[in-house]
Amino acid sequence: MTNYAVLIGALDTKGIEFRFVKEGLERLGIPTLIIDVGVLDTPLFEPDIRAEEVAVAAGTTLEQLRQINDRGKAVTAMAEGAFQILKRLVSERRVGGVFGMGGTAGTTVGAAAMKAVPIGIPKLLVSTVASGNTRPYVGVKDVTMMYSVVDIAGINKLSRRILSNAVYALAGMVKEIQAESSIQEERVTLGMTMFGVTTPCVTRVREILETRGYDLLVFHATGAGGMAMEELIDAGYIKGVLDITTTELADELVGGIFSAGPHRLEAGARADIPQVVSVGAMDMVNFGQTETIPAQFKDRQFYQHNPTTTLMRTTEEENRRLGTILAEKLNQASNKTVVIFPKGGVSLLDLPSKAFHGPEQREALYSSLKSTLKPEIPFIETDFDINDPSVATLIATTMIRLMEGNSNE
């Protein structure tokens, strides 16, 4: 089956530019497949998948969209249709890479469609909005966004250079993926979560498991990191989880900036894979600069982590609720799950003489977690803090036992 570079764009208004990219990729030996999402007029050249088919995939027709004459509704519909078609092409193993370009509309459609493509397959968006906030377009996908500098409006001296760079970039990524596809990767991939305040623990765990032959993916628990890990679990890419840093639950509960949404810590149970879970950095909720902290928290305890990040200590009640939330999520998992609780501290700040040292908060977290967790899930307690080398060794050997079934580790 041929792996195409799939180009998604409005060939009625951006046909010249998409033809330039198509021809450039084909000169480099990359076959292309064109999806037309134009609504206004006939395409400049014949696509492989016409706009009529895209509209039908979204549950409407091109004629209806033209009659409604609402640009916002048309963009939404064509984005959905492109997503559905690209999802089918992925399932047919026909996608080697994806390309989109345009202003806000073209970027929206291209980015929405790319959500159907697994992490690892190249995705490139040339966009007029790539110099601003790109999170709404990138989400948790590995989308490469290139700022177009000038509008996508014809081929001129500058746009020719920008689009040529994009062609070479996508072609290089696609060819590298094709070359790698012939190499069988034998190492088992595990996912881990980390924060700066749990780095010593995660580093030692990673070193132990890499020596054992595992491939470790470490995710920064900043909301997007947790969501990306969960998506890779659902995709079957990650075969075991060391969820050491579960702080994203605190941001979701209290209203911090690093929430991973209400479904964090659920993918492992769905996939029925081994999980070693701890409570790293649950002593904190994350905010930006001090002036951005909501007024209702003005009397709370804070720590200035850096000029752009302010940490807020979680309270006893919040920890009590966090323990219950964590346990209820893990109760959906099988007996492949183990919880490890470091009673000496959950981060570098939760230590004697440090800013967030809190025995009472830690006890609230411990009690609610232990009492809510179903008896079938092992609950291992240690008197040391999470960054003590013995805790890292315990986490690593527990994961090895779960993965390899060796009770003598």
Side-chain angles (χ1 to χ4, degrees), residues 7 14-27 44-45 101 154-156 159-167:
L7 278 56
K14 306 295 181 189
I16 293 173
E17 298 85 350
F18 273 95
R19 184 166 59 190
F20 180 88
V21 172
K22 168 184 165 64
E23 292 173 350
L25 287 167
E26 291 174 348
R27 280 196 302 270
L44 181 71
F45 62 92
M101 66 176 159
I155 303 299
N156 51 59
S159 67
R160 179 182 298 275
R161 182 70 268 158
I162 297 293
L163 293 181
S164 293
N165 288 344
V167 165

Side-chain angles (χ1 to χ4, degrees), residues 80-96:
E80 173 62 21
F83 172 87
Q84 295 298 337
I85 289 173
L86 198 52
K87 184 178 179 180
R88 171 174 58 81
L89 293 173
V90 168
S91 70
E92 295 170 351
R93 308 181 74 86
R94 299 173 68 188
V95 180

Side-chain angles (χ1 to χ4, degrees), residues 55-323:
V56 169
T60 183
T61 67
L62 193 59
E63 183 180 349
Q64 286 176 331
L65 292 176
R66 287 174 173 170
Q67 288 177 347
I68 294 171
N69 194 28
D70 185 307
R71 189 169 187 268
K73 291 181 179 178
V75 168
T76 300
M78 298 309 273
E80 173 62 21
F83 172 87
Q84 295 298 337
I85 289 173
L86 198 52
K87 184 178 179 180
R88 171 174 58 81
L89 293 173
V90 168
S91 70
E92 295 170 351
R93 308 181 74 86
R94 299 173 68 188
V95 180
V98 187
F99 176 87
M101 66 176 159
T104 54
T107 303
T108 297
V109 174
M114 289 177 186
K115 288 181 170 60
V117 182
I119 292 172
I121 295 178
K123 311 165 190 68
L124 177 60
L125 266 175
V126 178
S127 171
T128 61
V129 297
S131 65
N133 177 19
T134 59
R135 184 168 184 176
Y137 306 108
V138 174
V140 298
K141 293 291 187 177
D142 54 339
V143 176
T144 301
M145 293 193 71
M146 178 184 291
Y147 183 42
S148 63
V149 183
V150 293
D151 203 354
I152 310 297
I155 303 299
N156 51 59
K157 183 185 295 185
L158 184 56
S159 67
R160 179 182 298 275
R161 182 70 268 158
I162 297 293
L163 293 181
S164 293
N165 288 344
V167 165
Y168 290 124
L170 185 62
M173 288 188 281
V174 170
K175 286 184 176 181
E176 184 63 21
I177 289 292
Q178 291 172 344
E180 285 185 355
S181 65
S182 62
I183 301 174
Q184 294 297 318
E185 179 58 72
E186 296 181 354
R187 292 197 298 168
V188 175
T189 300
L190 306 177
M192 284 203 300
T193 49
M194 184 180 82
F195 238 23
V197 292
T198 60
T199 296
C201 175
V202 173
T203 299
R204 180 164 174 77
V205 171
R206 177 179 56 79
E207 291 170 348
I208 293 171
L209 290 169
E210 284 179 344
T211 300
R212 193 77 175 201
Y214 290 97
D215 184 39
L216 273 299
L217 305 181
V218 181
F219 298 87
H220 201 192
T222 56
M227 287 189 286
M229 185 179 75
E230 303 257 324
E231 181 163 322
L232 287 170
I233 293 170
D234 281 330
Y237 197 87
I238 291 175
K239 305 302 183 183
V241 180
L242 300 114
D243 219 335
I244 295 168
T245 312
T246 45
T247 183
E248 289 160 321
L249 294 182
D251 280 51
E252 170 66 13
L253 173 66
V254 182
I257 61 174
F258 288 160
S259 167
H263 301 297
R264 176 74 171 87
L265 277 135
E266 296 177 8
R270 285 194 299 270
D272 193 28
I273 59 175
Q275 300 183 96
V276 178
V277 181
S278 193
V279 290
M282 276 203 177
D283 55 335
M284 60 189 64
V285 176
N286 296 268
F287 293 103
Q289 296 174 320
T290 54
E291 59 269 23
T292 67
I293 298 171
Q296 68 263 33
F297 299 125
K298 63 182 179 65
D299 296 325
R300 296 283 293 271
Q301 180 183 358
F302 294 99
Y303 177 81
Q304 197 68 44
H305 184 61
N306 58 49
T308 59
T309 305
T310 308
L311 310 178
M312 182 177 75
R313 187 49 163 110
T314 49
T315 65
E316 284 186 56
E317 177 56 29
E318 287 165 354
N319 275 276
R320 193 170 293 111
R321 292 172 65 189
L322 286 169

